[in-house]
């Protein structure tokens, strides 16, 4: 997605993003490009503004006037948003930005599983040993449900913290 940008989105095979886009309330039966672009725009908007959202818009070619920019130019501009070198952005900030977009897509895909009551802990959720800062979501991938553990680490700067998706 990052390399292709929204102009080349129509030529990409992204079945799960298309499925999520088409299953959302208000889906319009659009073709791949417009449906997935709308999903991405909604996910980026869900980030809630600031440098993270601006960097996501540049990274994916969603910022006004950037849809046809080459990936290197979009990355360079996203790095400028954070005031870091392109290399630093690629190794650190870009991963964080794309993690947040992914998390927002998962939020748009459907409700997260209900958390167990605080006194029951992770063992009650069927995941013994899972720390309280972890959340398991189970999106459908290629026709099957795949559990993904979100590791939530507070940054100390935002009340919602930041997340990293691992399997």
């Amino acid at each position: 997605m990052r390399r292709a940008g929204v102009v080349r989105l129509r030529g990409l095979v992204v079945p799960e993003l298309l499925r999520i886009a088409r299953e959302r309330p208000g889906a319009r039966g659009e073709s791949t490009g417009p449906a997935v672009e709308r999903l991405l725009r909604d996910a980026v908007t869900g980030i809630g503004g600031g440098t993270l959202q601006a960097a996501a818009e540049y990274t994916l070619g969603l910022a006004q006037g950037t849809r046809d920019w080459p990936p290197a130019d979009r990355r360079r501009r996203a790095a400028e948003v954070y005031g870091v070198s392109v290399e630093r952005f690629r190794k650190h900030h870009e991963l964080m930005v794309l993690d947040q977009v992914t998390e927002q897509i998962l939020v748009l895909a459907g409700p997260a599983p209900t958390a167990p009551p605080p006194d029951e802990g992770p063992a009650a959720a069927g995941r013994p040993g899972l720390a309280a800062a972890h959340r398991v979501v189970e999106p459908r991938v290629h026709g099957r449900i795949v559990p993904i553990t979100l590791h939530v680490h507070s940054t100390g700067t935002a009340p919602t913290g930041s997340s990293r998706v691992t399997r």
Side-chain angles (χ1 to χ4, degrees):
M1 289 300 318
R2 184 202 62 77
R3 278 185 253 153
V6 291
V7 169
R8 292 172 204 85
L9 183 60
R10 283 131 185 93
L12 291 179
V13 177
V14 287
E16 287 308 304
L17 288 177
L18 184 57
R19 181 192 61 76
I20 292 168
R22 287 184 173 161
E23 288 180 358
R24 294 180 58 216
R28 304 177 192 151
E30 299 162 310
S31 62
T32 300
V36 174
E37 181 178 345
R38 196 158 45 84
L39 173 65
L40 290 172
R41 285 187 184 281
D42 290 348
V44 169
T45 300
I47 289 173
T51 54
L52 184 60
Q53 181 175 336
E57 289 169 346
Y58 283 112
T59 298
L60 297 172
L62 299 172
Q64 186 173 357
T66 62
R67 54 188 304 121
D68 64 340
W69 285 15
D73 292 346
R74 294 193 319 261
R75 180 181 273 161
R76 186 177 313 107
R77 183 61 184 99
E80 289 173 10
V81 167
Y82 279 104
V84 297
S85 70
V86 172
E87 196 60 19
R88 172 71 177 154
F89 180 79
R90 182 182 69 81
K91 290 181 177 178
H92 175 70
H93 294 82
E94 189 171 67
L95 298 174
M96 174 187 62
V97 166
L98 295 174
D99 281 350
Q100 290 298 303
V101 172
T102 301
E103 184 173 325
Q104 290 303 313
I105 289 170
L106 291 173
V107 167
L108 293 170
T114 13
D119 59 328
E120 294 182 27
R127 302 290 300 232
L130 194 59
H134 299 136
R135 190 174 98 203
V136 177
V137 293
E138 296 181 336
R140 184 172 300 278
V141 178
H142 298 291
R144 64 187 181 99
I145 295 190
V146 178
I148 297 175
T149 303
L150 298 175
H151 302 270
V152 182
H153 302 277
S154 175
T155 62
T157 59
T160 56
S162 64
S163 299
R164 191 122 166 107
V165 178
T166 59
R167 274 182 88 189

